[in-house]
Amino acid sequence: MPLLLKGVPHPDDGRQAAAMGVAGLIGSNQGGRTLDTTPSTASVLARMAQAVDGLLPLINDGIRRSTDVLKALALGARGADRTL
């Protein structure tokens, strides 16, 4: 069964996940609602995309506007999911 990891904020963790055979990563800042010092998904997405170098897909979670989809794709995500 494919495994997707959500909320992986550091590129080293992304590289390790790729090496372990994880199917994909979901970038999420939903913890930012309670942990105000966590980095935003957008601020780490480009570094994460560079770290995994296409080995696994990155999906950006927490999209609120259609322009956020374009930003996520430009930063290296392969897909996006909206926040309810």
Side-chain angles (χ1 to χ4, degrees):
M1 177 182 291
L3 176 66
L4 299 173
L5 293 181
K6 183 175 181 176
V8 179
H10 198 278
D12 290 341
D13 296 328
R15 279 190 284 271
Q16 185 175 5
M20 294 174 69
V22 169
L25 298 176
I26 301 171
S28 176
N29 193 36
Q30 292 181 5
R33 295 177 186 161
T34 56
L35 302 172
D36 62 354
T37 60
T38 58
S40 70
T41 304
S43 70
V44 298
L45 189 57
R47 289 182 301 189
M48 186 66 74
Q50 183 179 14
V52 300
D53 195 28
L55 295 173
L56 47 89
L58 300 175
I59 301 166
N60 194 57
D61 187 19
I63 298 296
R64 294 177 186 229
R65 294 177 289 280
S66 57
T67 55
D68 292 339
V69 174
L70 299 175
K71 292 173 190 176
L73 295 175
L75 291 169
R78 286 197 204 165
D81 184 30
R82 69 183 179 94
T83 298
L84 296 174

